[in-house]
Amino acid sequence: MIRAIQILLIALLACGMTNAAEPTPDTEAIKFFESKVRPVLVARCLKCHGKAQQKGQLRLDSLEAVLKGGESGEIVISGKPTESLLIEAINRTGLEMPPDAPLKENEIAALTEWVRRGLPWPTDNGMSRTLKPGGKGITEADKEYWAFQPIKDPAVPVGHVSNLPDQTAWTRNPIDQFIATRLAADGFTPAPEADRRTLIRRLTFDLTGLPPTPTEIAEFENDSRDDAYERLVDRLLDNPAYGERWARHWLDLVRYAESDGYRKDDYRPHAWRYRDYVIRSFQTDKPFDRFVQEQIAGDEIDPDNPDALAATGFLRLSLYEYNQRDARTQWNEILNDITDVTGDVFLGFGMGCARCHDHKFDPILQKDYFRLRAFFAGILPQDAQPLATKAEIEAHKAKLTEWETKTADIRAKLAELENPQLAKLKASAIFKFPAEIQAILKTDDVSKLAPLERQLYGLAYRQVQYEHDQIGAKLKDESKKTWDELRAELKKFDDLKPAALPIGYAVADVGPIAPPTLIPGDKSETDIVPGLISVLDDSPAKISPVPNAPQSTGRRTTLARWLTAPDNPLTPRVTVNRIWQYHFGKGLVATASDFGRLGESPSHPELLDWLASRFAGLSNHKSKIENQNSELTPWSFKSLHRLIVTSATYRQSATNSNSEQQQLKDPTNRLLWRANIRRLDAEQIRDSLLLVAGKLDAKSGGPSVPASKPRRSIFTEQRRNSPDPLLDVFDSADGFSSTPERNVTTTPTQALLMINSKDSLAHSAEFARRVQSEAGAERDAQIVVAYRLAFGREPSGTELNAAIDFLNRQAARNAAAASSTLTDFCQVLLNSNEFLYVD
């Protein structure tokens, strides 16, 4: 039996294998040039053979110049390094170049391979891009790159498309007009609409992350109203499970986790407040511009709003090493991490490459990296931020004052016992730090420290506080006995002490003046002021004071408003592309966090801009094909979902009568001529197993629980170094870096876990018990109920007969284990393609 299940699972998992888009040879060649050749030419050649100086009448800063050669004539023969004077010179077998010192072996190898490959060189408008010692800078061609162009408001294609005679009947909203026009231009025809069971299963998994119940499927299949599908969409968008599902996508992007990472990986007990903020935001359809602004600068924009304060937990998701004594380096890494994730999530460009040098492929300068980082230079982490209004905080303080008054004597005695030991613990903790950090930690008045010193103090003092928290274990003998007695006496006043306010991990600013932002290695030590990426605007950002937060720099509010401003072409495009990706498996730009030159160009650029313009509220007109059902509420996720999932494009079947021909022309279905069959992701698999077994706890929100509890996966503890095995093996996000798209792997470990793990066997047993409870003892009825619960359909006659035969044979083999026979059958269903995939 186990072998049968193994063969079945291996087969179904093989169907879900996906491959990343293969780079073109041209892309690979340019990547090789930029990463291997360009650094050598810039560092070792351009000083003597560049714009400023051309020894031997030779320039090496453009392909045209290289091919022209110098006073010695032609220096390279494309594809023939052994016949090229340049290669002879760097090997020092004739001429000896560079004259000051020979190139390293890897540098010689890079230039030799470059010639062998045919001298690949990046171009702008057909001309080779000139290399500059200080970096490539920003060219006019860079500014004309599609991603940096203002978002257009294209007209929806209208009219008859020649090879889609039934186009009017097929299209349901403007999305379909864009898709149909492209399909027709390439000679494709779309697939027919999927049947109702397929649609409700696809849609319910998509919007809620859970399978539909048999009752929900039956109701939809029997709903004869013209707008039955639209009603289903609205019901699912209003379901609390919607917020829980779509929050998971966002948490992937922002690398959400509830532990520190590194070896100790300490748990963060209040991290869930940010998770619940994200869930509430999706469920209530908080406008996306507000959603972004709160996460970047909620403490500045709306400091009396607990939700806005919880939102700044976005800036607290970095890794943290609890015993890292080099606080300066650790703080630097935290700021880098925030900068990297901000670029990935909101701009769709990997900023990290520009941390050390100008980006090799995209027009992102090193100074741009630090201009973005400068927006965050003033942050000061708050580890116990009350998530309450000012009025609630004041009321809490008033009640606390009464408790403090009545316990003053007891607390004074406790302090008398603790202070000598605390002083020793503090001194011991401080001694472990470098001298400069020791000096900061020994200060008597933190307010007198410079802004950066205050930030380093806050980071390093966590380790001092950690030692303080061990005070109970440090006291001995009579002191410990007296301490315990005083603590017991203090506990008697607990009824006077107000309940603790909810707290979360948040940020504030260190003050109205931010520490300087310096580029490492810049001897001028120029303070880099906040600014946008230069290709969009090379002027410094205009920072205005924030009336609600006079002690803040106002920098983050400026960034937050620009990210959602009408003249920012990146955030709206990136965001609607992500939503499209989560519905179709691939975005209109397949590389969701890389809109640069090494990413993919949009498959439907007009559709991308049509959606982005409406999502950002930039469109001022409607064509005659647009109607009330195709309107988008600006910055509304639910409105965008509704438009996408009600399109004919989304409703297509995965089966197309022209599949064989069209598969050859478009093997990855970039033109969307059918639906994509997709494996459930890790959380969908776990939650579906619990739901089908009748064990899923629908409680929403609150502190996370161990994965052994039957809560939805989003409410289980998200530990970086010890993830739940089921979620981990099925490619859940790891929380270490932004995850714009989950991997979909096929491994033996997945099969073994689904067949043999303790949890998998328990789910199968619970499923069997539920089936028996609902169906009774009759085999036929049990099989029908099991199929309904697992697949949302009745078994066919052939399936029913095969299942009965299997159950009878299993029972005959081992009458004593008849109770486990139904469990074996249920386990097969839970391991099947139909359960683990959605089409």
Side-chain angles (χ1 to χ4, degrees), residues 815-838:
S819 61
S820 68
T821 300
L822 184 58
T823 297
D824 290 342
F825 174 69
C826 287
Q827 188 180 14
V828 171
L829 297 187
L830 296 181
N831 278 273
S832 67
N833 279 1
E834 193 168 354
F835 183 78
L836 293 170
Y837 284 77
V838 63

Side-chain angles (χ1 to χ4, degrees), residues 214-243:
T215 300
E216 290 169 336
I217 294 173
E219 288 177 351
F220 179 56
E221 288 183 324
N222 295 323
D223 190 341
S224 60
R225 291 173 292 187
D226 291 340
D227 62 347
Y229 182 82
E230 287 74 16
R231 288 172 180 267
L232 173 63
V233 171
D234 289 338
R235 178 175 66 78
L236 293 174
L237 288 173
D238 288 338
N239 191 316
Y242 159 78

